[in-house]
Amino acid sequence: MGDQIGEAVSGKLYYIHLKEFKKILSSNNNKIEIAEIFSSFCRINALYMIARAGSGHIGSSFSSMDIMSWIQLNEVSSEPKSVFFSSKGHDAPALYSTLIGVNKLDFDLLHSLRKKGGLPGHPDIRTPFIETNTGSLGMGLSKAKGMAIANRHLNQPTNIYVMTGDGEIQEGQFWESMHSAVNNNFNEITVIVDHNKLQSDTLVSHVSDLGDLVSKFKSFGFHVERCDGNNIREFSQTLEICKKIKDKPKIIIADTIKGKGVSFMEHTSIDSDVELYKFHSGAPSSDLYQEAVQELINESNILLEQYGFDLLELEPIDLPKLNPLSEDKQNLISRYTSSLLKHADNNSNIMALDADLILDTGLIAFKDKYPDRFIECGIAEQDMVSQAGGLALKGILPIVHSFSCFLSSRPNEQIYNNVTEKKKIIYVGSLAGVLPGGPGHSHQAVRDIGSLKGLPFLRMFEPSCDIEVDLLMDWAIEQYEYSSYLRLVSIPWNIPFDLPENYFPQEGKGCIIKDGKDITIIAYGPILLSEAFNASIKLESNYGKSVKLINLPWLNYIDSKWLNSELKNSQLVLSLDNHYLNGGQGELIADILLSNNHHKENKIFHRLGVKDIP
């Protein structure tokens, strides 16, 4: 049974059980009143999901919650053939909480955000009632058009509602998708822009000001409405106006507040001098959670009393204990920051470019120290990479930053164009590999090596520890003539091994972490090398197998003479890839072994890596 909560208790998390939603949804109150209470309930549950998971996106979930609540209650439910999805992805907790509130998703999934077998950090169609995978931005309207074409072909006319973010519409694909939406009169499509004025951590207007959005959208031929997206009555009335438009696609600019519903999370000023919005991603501290949930409980009870319901009953649970970060863990992003600053101090031609990830890519200190050499490009990776190309052509050394999953894919053609000009650019892709898995597969860089490894002159490498970050940065900036790609694991990791004394990177050559004669394991990066090192100790102590462990940071070029020399006495060779098997480092190793007829020596070679969508 739930408890009526007056004051939130420290160390507790609170959620609203399905029976409380059913009370509201089965009442005779009008639709606006029900939606307001429903939305308030869903904010409590979304906050619970994020706090329990230890990560997630509060700001975007709260700004879009009123819109999602109305659509789930009155548009998608009342029109079974209607489709709704959010192209943003960051508002997944809002989407999940509303789907759970209307009993479309199993209620127990409330407790499984970002957990294996639960609800992924960004929407995925393996979850019921999720229409399309999102997380990579700018695709929503294009997906909606494809659905509309299919529905027309199948003679199944369907209203399609797609939500996008105001930061997201910096992506070029969004603007590309608008032309044919009008040309083909996709009047069944309604785009809703969650216009909360913030992209990730900073103001849209400070990065790529959107200007007069109404005029811009109208110039493409869309029917455009604008409303307060956090005012359910006003938003519902705006939707009704759009439903009457039958000769063109529609766009609603829904002005919202990021973090809406919790006073200290709300970002209300477009003139704010706050450098970084604090509640875009991540879970609040215990104290801030308690303060936030108390506000939401109070607001829910005010609405319940106002509309004739009993006070709220909530389910309390103990705050889950998260594993504290060990002081022994190495943080490669932090080390990268210090390495970049060291080189920038000595080279005034170094400039850093960022794609709306200044916090995650470790660039805050660089921006603070060298504001005139920092370029915030926004959510526009192709534009960023081509800007870097222009800088390089004029003698600047541009260092380009984003998550590996985005930097290696969307601007792939632009990186190739730069490479063909044989000028020097350094690409830094963070959040590389399988971990962390919580954000979902759209953010897991497990195909970046394969995407870029065939580019001529480009050298890709991944450091295994703090020291190797410095060494590889030195090599890329001071020694190598052409472009390079630094692949960084973002999460702190406990490193159980040491690099050899006097180690320095040599192109295509690795180093011996641990010598042995029975088995050779080849790996790279902090996670796989650490796991391989720990496994080698167990193999020796439990099975008497002597293991040689090689750190091979070079991902797309291996010195074959060196590798053959290192493997000549090994009968069993194991390659580990923090990446899909297809396109990974293991393919290069296999090619060298095959080319040098190691198979005739009865040498066994095996590869481990990702085989399916992680």
Side-chain angles (χ1 to χ4, degrees):
M1 288 292 293
D3 299 320
Q4 286 192 356
I5 304 297
E7 296 293 328
V9 177
S10 179
K12 297 284 187 181
L13 298 180
Y14 297 92
Y15 65 90
I16 300 176
H17 199 272
L18 185 61
K19 61 184 177 61
E20 291 291 296
F21 284 92
K22 289 181 177 179
K23 287 180 187 177
I24 304 304
L25 298 180
S26 62
S27 73
N28 293 322
N29 291 61
N30 67 56
K31 292 181 178 180
I32 301 296
E33 293 173 353
I34 290 172
E36 287 178 354
I37 297 172
F38 181 88
S39 180
S40 182
F41 283 10
C42 287
R43 280 191 171 89
I44 292 174
N45 278 358
L47 182 65
Y48 165 81
M49 295 168 76
I50 293 169
R52 183 182 175 105
S55 64
H57 295 86
I58 298 175
S60 297
S61 292
F62 280 17
S63 68
S64 63
M65 189 69 79
D66 301 304
I67 297 169
M68 288 201 180
S69 295
W70 179 264
I71 287 178
Q72 289 297 337
L73 290 172
N74 299 289
E75 305 302 331
V76 178
S77 296
S78 63
E79 302 174 31
K81 293 184 179 180
S82 291
V83 168
F84 168 76
F85 65 92
S86 175
S87 180
K88 291 166 52 179
H90 283 165
D91 48 14
L95 180 56
Y96 296 146
S97 63
T98 57
L99 286 169
I100 289 170
V102 295
N103 204 22
K104 286 184 174 179
L105 289 182
D106 185 87
F107 187 82
D108 285 341
L109 289 172
L110 186 76
H111 312 300
S112 68
L113 178 66
R114 298 187 169 219
K115 305 297 183 185
K116 187 175 180 180
L119 296 170
H122 289 76
D124 184 282
I125 59 171
R126 287 174 286 189
T127 305
F129 299 99
I130 298 300
E131 301 290 346
T132 180
N133 292 352
T134 55
S136 301
L137 298 178
M139 302 180 184
L141 179 53
S142 300
K143 288 282 185 81
K145 290 192 299 181
M147 292 177 184
I149 293 169
N151 290 339
R152 290 179 177 186
H153 177 74
L154 298 170
N155 196 28
Q156 297 173 352
T158 301
N159 289 327
I160 301 172
Y161 302 98
V162 53
M163 183 182 291
T164 185
D166 48 7
E168 178 183 9
I169 61 177
Q170 291 168 12
E171 288 284 14
Q173 182 177 350
F174 175 82
W175 300 97
E176 290 180 32
S177 66
M178 296 186 74
H179 300 278
S180 66
V182 174
N183 291 347
N184 293 296
N185 183 23
F186 287 121
N187 61 85
E188 60 266 59
I189 296 176
T190 301
V191 178
I192 303 163
V193 180
D194 180 14
H195 194 17
N196 61 32
K197 321 300 186 293
L198 286 163
Q199 54 180 81
S200 293
D201 313 299
T202 193
L203 288 162
V204 174
S205 60
H206 288 179
V207 179
S208 295
D209 194 347
L210 297 175
D212 186 349
L213 269 183
V214 172
S215 296
K216 284 183 178 179
F217 291 155
K218 283 185 175 180
S219 71
F220 280 86
F222 276 75
H223 176 85
V224 184
E225 295 287 338
R226 189 163 198 160
C227 69
D228 181 349
N230 294 132
N231 183 315
I232 290 177
R233 184 180 300 276
E234 187 174 328
F235 175 73
S236 65
Q237 291 171 345
T238 304
L239 266 187
E240 289 304 311
I241 293 171
C242 288
K243 288 179 183 179
K244 297 175 183 177
I245 305 300
K246 301 297 183 183
D247 61 344
K248 60 185 67 175
K250 289 87 71 169
I251 288 185
I252 298 173
I253 303 169
D255 290 300
T256 60
I257 295 173
K258 199 159 185 173
K260 176 67 175 177
V262 176
S263 59
F264 62 86
M265 294 181 177
E266 292 183 355
H267 191 283
T268 56
S269 173
I270 61 172
D271 300 315
S272 170
D273 59 358
V274 175
E275 187 66 26
L276 292 174
Y277 174 72
K278 297 178 181 178
F279 302 102
H280 169 70
S281 62
S285 66
S286 178
D287 290 344
L288 289 180
Y289 170 79
Q290 187 177 354
E291 188 176 344
V293 78
Q294 189 65 63
E295 277 198 43
L296 295 173
I297 291 169
N298 292 343
E299 175 61 24
S300 292
N301 280 330
I302 289 171
L303 289 173
L304 289 168
E305 285 192 302
Q306 181 180 344
Y307 297 141
F309 294 95
D310 293 334
L311 293 181
L312 185 60
E313 290 187 1
L314 293 106
E315 305 288 338
I317 70 163
D318 291 332
L319 182 66
K321 293 182 179 179
L322 300 177
N323 293 327
L325 284 179
S326 168
E327 294 181 0
D328 297 330
K329 290 186 177 181
Q330 295 186 20
N331 188 322
L332 271 56
I333 298 295
S334 296
R335 189 59 168 253
Y336 170 74
T337 299
S338 61
S339 182
L340 175 63
L341 287 173
K342 179 192 75 173
H343 286 285
D345 291 342
N346 297 323
N347 185 346
S348 61
N349 279 332
I350 287 177
M351 290 190 176
L353 293 81
D354 173 66
D356 194 42
L357 290 168
I358 182 172
L359 178 64
D360 300 280
T361 53
L363 288 177
I364 293 176
F366 184 94
K367 179 185 178 184
D368 290 344
K369 190 170 186 178
Y370 297 111
D372 59 330
R373 291 158 60 185
F374 173 77
I375 305 170
E376 178 53 75
C377 303
I379 307 172
E381 296 86 358
Q382 294 173 325
D383 176 59
M384 174 178 66
V385 167
S386 290
Q387 284 189 61
L391 288 166
L393 287 168
K394 293 300 180 180
I396 299 297
L397 175 53
I399 304 183
V400 181
H401 302 78
S402 186
F403 286 164
S404 264
C405 54
F406 304 136
L407 185 57
S408 62
S409 54
R410 190 168 301 234
N412 190 284
E413 183 179 3
Q414 286 75 16
I415 292 175
Y416 179 65
N417 179 275
N418 290 345
V419 165
T420 63
E421 292 171 342
K422 296 187 178 181
K423 301 300 179 182
K424 185 169 180 171
I425 300 171
I426 296 174
Y427 303 94
V428 181
S430 56
L431 203 72
V434 175
L435 298 178
H441 58 71
S442 64
H443 285 55
Q444 291 172 293
V446 289
R447 59 191 179 95
D448 51 333
I449 301 173
S451 296
L452 295 171
K453 76 175 187 180
L455 299 190
F457 312 111
L458 181 76
R459 290 292 177 261
M460 303 180 71
F461 41 80
E462 179 174 329
S464 62
C465 58
D466 283 353
I467 294 173
E468 201 167 24
V469 172
D470 290 332
L471 295 173
L472 289 169
M473 280 286 285
D474 292 347
W475 183 86
I477 292 175
E478 297 174 359
Q479 297 183 42
Y480 191 53
E481 180 181 0
Y482 300 112
S483 293
S484 54
Y485 191 101
L486 176 61
R487 189 178 195 253
L488 286 175
V489 169
S490 293
I491 56 177
W493 205 258
N494 187 11
I495 307 297
F497 57 84
D498 294 311
L499 294 177
E501 291 185 16
N502 303 319
Y503 164 72
F504 63 93
Q506 299 180 70
E507 187 178 0
K509 298 179 180 180
C511 65
I512 309 305
I513 299 295
K514 183 176 167 296
D515 211 351
K517 63 180 187 306
D518 296 322
I519 304 170
T520 297
I521 302 177
I522 304 173
Y524 54 86
I527 296 175
L528 290 187
L529 271 171
S530 296
E531 293 302 306
F533 181 85
N534 294 333
S536 71
I537 301 299
K538 290 184 179 181
L539 283 168
E540 291 183 349
S541 62
N542 296 345
Y543 302 98
K545 297 295 183 181
S546 176
V547 179
K548 181 177 186 177
L549 178 60
I550 297 177
N551 168 32
L552 185 53
W554 308 96
L555 304 176
N556 70 332
Y557 171 76
I558 300 173
D559 185 312
S560 59
K561 184 177 180 181
W562 167 84
L563 184 65
N564 284 314
S565 174
E566 292 297 336
L567 299 183
K568 63 182 179 180
N569 296 322
S570 298
Q571 289 303 304
L572 175 59
V573 179
L574 176 64
S575 164
L576 305 180
D577 260 307
N578 191 3
H579 187 274
Y580 283 125
L581 282 176
N582 289 334
Q585 184 192 71
E587 285 188 345
L588 293 177
I589 297 170
D591 184 59
I592 291 172
L593 291 174
L594 187 63
S595 298
N596 287 274
N597 298 315
H598 283 285
H599 60 288
K600 293 182 179 179
E601 304 168 9
N602 295 319
K603 195 182 298 292
I604 299 171
F605 176 63
H606 190 64
R607 296 187 294 144
L608 291 179
V610 182
K611 296 180 179 179
D612 200 352
I613 298 170

